[in-house]
Amino acid sequence: MRLMILFIFLSICWNSFGQKFLQIEKYGKTKVEKFYIGDELTYQIKGDKKTWYKGTINDLFVDENIILFENRAVNMKDLTAIRTFKRAGLSRSLSLQLYVFGAGYGGFSLLAAAVGWWEVTALTVIVVGTALAAGLLVRHLFKWKTHKMGKRKWLRILDLTVKPTYSP
């Protein structure tokens, strides 16, 4: 019975599917950032330092080190920087919390002043204004992370497709 299960398992595994992806590696770190086919990539090309291009990865060619976007093919060595937007979620939630704090503090201060428990002073306006300004600043500063390619960071295209050595 065990041999039969092993035979069935091996016969199913002849044609296995894999994946291709582009990854950013950093010297001395084991953690990598991966971009798969279908992901949107924001990048800079060598010689054009001010323009950021955005494109969806359609295919990756390992042997030639070419990334195929929907409107162009770019050699991997021509990419000088890549932007990732994973930080945007953290900055968005933190700035939202600062907005809510500022609006809540201002609203409760006005409500307390209307009832007569509190006086609206310059300090109240400063606290509300600082919270709102800090929310804007956090959202603007931590919108994205830029990975500049060089000696310590580089790109690698990996192809993990399994090709059968025996084809019946």
Side-chain angles (χ1 to χ4, degrees):
M1 185 68 181
R2 289 182 185 171
L3 288 174
M4 182 185 240
I5 292 173
L6 181 65
F7 177 73
I8 291 172
F9 177 71
L10 289 176
S11 66
I12 291 173
C13 292
W14 283 119
N15 292 328
S16 297
F17 295 104
Q19 57 188 348
K20 295 182 193 178
F21 56 88
L22 173 73
Q23 71 181 13
I24 299 174
E25 297 177 351
K26 187 175 179 181
Y27 178 77
K29 303 286 181 180
T30 58
K31 188 175 182 182
V32 295
E33 186 139 2
K34 296 179 182 179
F35 302 99
Y36 298 96
I37 294 176
D39 287 349
E40 190 171 75
L41 194 66
T42 304
Y43 58 94
Q44 266 185 340
I45 298 177
K46 190 184 295 183
D48 195 4
K49 295 286 184 185
K50 294 185 179 181
T51 307
W52 287 93
Y53 298 97
K54 187 183 284 189
T56 304
I57 300 173
N58 285 347
D59 201 3
L60 298 166
F61 299 105
V62 180
D63 297 333
E64 297 88 13
N65 286 333
I66 291 178
I67 304 166
L68 182 65
F69 294 103
E70 68 268 356
N71 55 357
R72 71 175 62 183
V74 178
N75 192 340
M76 186 179 64
K77 291 181 175 46
D78 291 339
L79 296 179
T80 58
I82 291 178
R83 276 193 179 157
T84 57
F85 296 92
K86 290 192 176 181
R87 286 181 162 185
L90 177 65
S91 68
R92 195 175 306 127
S93 65
L94 184 60
S95 65
L96 182 64
Q97 289 176 0
L98 286 168
Y99 295 152
V100 168
F101 169 73
Y105 190 85
F108 283 125
S109 296
L110 289 176
L111 185 65
V115 175
W117 295 341
W118 185 271
E119 290 183 19
V120 176
T121 60
L123 185 61
T124 306
V125 175
I126 289 172
V127 169
V128 172
T130 304
L132 296 178
L136 284 172
L137 187 66
V138 164
R139 184 170 282 206
H140 181 69
L141 286 179
F142 300 109
K143 189 182 289 186
W144 58 73
K145 181 177 182 180
T146 302
H147 300 278
K148 294 187 179 183
M149 301 303 129
K151 291 181 182 179
R152 297 192 58 83
K153 283 188 182 178
W154 59 88
L155 292 171
R156 180 178 296 182
I157 298 175
L158 293 173
D159 184 8
L160 300 180
T161 54
V162 179
K163 297 176 182 153
T165 56
Y166 170 77
S167 59

